[in-house]
Amino acid sequence: QQPVQSPQAVILREGEDAVINCSSSKALYSVHWYRQKHGEAPVFLMILLKGGEQKGHEKISASFNVKKQQSSLYLTASQLSYSGTYFCGTAYMDTGRRALTFGSGTRLQVQP
Amino acid sequence: DTAVSQTPKYLVTQMGNDKSIKCEQNLGHDTMYWYKQDSKKFLKIMFSYNNKELIINETVPNRFSPKSPDKAHLNLHINSLELGDSAVYFCASSRYNEQFFGPGTRLTVL
């Protein structure tokens, strides 16, 4: 079952903040976040393994709420380089840690 | 010093042909994957191998056959190509959790 990402797309000005959400209908083992720029491969940003865990990567951080089966990605003071499509990948408790099911992606565009 | 490499980068072929995509990783990872990304950017797992053993085989037509000669290689062979097979195919590898993706192979079936 594919996780649901929202919003589908967002346009920001440099310096603005954004939140991307990822929701699952199944119990989660972990949540991965990737960014893919046009014509390139997805690049790993971070993984969240424990409930309530928050990870940071430069000005990009994420949280994981196990009870709600949700994760959110926070982009602070966005830069032009943040533009791309963000995917959450979820691993489920019943299928083990290796199998990732990706959401449909959130296209982020940062404008000057 | 490329981590995950794929060949070819582009593949244009006629319907009905058979083609292969090769993937190699030099990271010492024990698990490798094939993903398909369609025109709507939906990224879907196809196969996963752990130490040369198939561990994930999603609902994929049996025209697709992965082969892992060793831990560092996972090739994808596709028989009787169809128009709907046109997509970008990504190979990835992991040791624990983080997956490293190859540059992708853009397959176009005419």
Side-chain angles (χ1 to χ4, degrees):
Chain A
Q1 193 106 16
Q2 185 184 5
V4 176
Q5 279 187 241
S6 63
Q8 288 187 329
V10 59
I11 300 175
L12 299 174
R13 295 282 183 194
E14 266 188 299
E16 291 181 339
D17 302 339
V19 180
I20 299 171
N21 299 304
C22 177
S23 296
S24 170
S25 58
K26 292 171 60 173
L28 292 171
Y29 174 84
S30 63
V31 179
H32 302 219
W33 285 96
Y34 288 79
R35 177 172 61 207
Q36 183 179 29
K37 293 186 180 283
H38 182 69
E40 297 180 9
V43 174
F44 176 81
L45 293 176
M46 64 192 78
I47 179 175
L48 299 108
L49 288 166
K50 300 175 188 173
E53 185 173 27
Q54 289 191 305
K55 286 279 188 76
H57 178 79
E58 297 174 345
K59 291 182 180 175
I60 301 174
S61 60
S63 63
F64 181 19
N65 188 321
V66 171
K67 280 188 178 180
K68 291 186 177 180
Q69 295 168 181
Q70 292 176 347
S71 178
S72 294
L73 187 71
Y74 306 94
L75 297 104
T76 307
S78 59
Q79 306 168 14
L80 293 176
S81 62
Y82 287 2
S83 293
T85 300
Y86 289 77
F87 292 96
C88 68
T90 51
Y92 302 112
M93 298 294 283
D94 60 351
T95 55
R97 62 179 181 150
R98 301 281 186 153
L100 285 186
T101 303
F102 283 93
S104 56
T106 295
R107 188 176 302 176
L108 177 75
Q109 184 181 352
V110 181
Q111 296 177 341
Chain B
D1 60 342
T2 305
V4 183
S5 59
Q6 292 179 231
T7 53
K9 189 167 174 61
Y10 299 96
L11 189 51
V12 181
T13 188
Q14 300 285 333
M15 267 197 324
N17 284 349
D18 303 338
K19 290 293 178 186
S20 292
I21 306 172
K22 295 186 175 182
C23 177
E24 177 180 1
Q25 55 96 2
N26 62 7
L27 298 166
H29 290 167
D30 60 352
T31 305
M32 296 184 71
Y33 312 81
W34 277 110
Y35 288 90
K36 178 181 179 181
Q37 187 170 45
D38 60 24
S39 57
K40 294 183 179 178
K41 303 299 182 188
F42 179 35
L43 196 60
K44 184 173 168 58
I45 181 88
M46 298 174 70
F47 302 103
S48 175
Y49 269 74
N50 179 257
N51 286 321
K52 302 195 312 177
E53 183 182 340
L54 180 66
I55 57 171
I56 296 172
N57 184 357
E58 291 294 307
T59 308
V60 175
N62 57 16
R63 298 181 294 104
F64 291 79
S65 54
K67 282 188 173 54
S68 181
D70 55 57
K71 281 171 48 173
H73 296 85
L74 180 62
N75 303 323
L76 183 65
H77 188 74
I78 316 169
N79 288 328
S80 304
L81 278 155
E82 300 178 358
L83 293 176
D85 297 333
S86 294
V88 180
Y89 292 83
F90 286 102
C91 174
S93 72
S94 70
R95 184 166 189 178
Y96 297 112
N97 292 296
E98 177 182 348
Q99 293 189 19
F100 290 82
F101 283 77
T105 296
R106 182 174 293 276
L107 172 65
T108 304
V109 183
L110 303 174

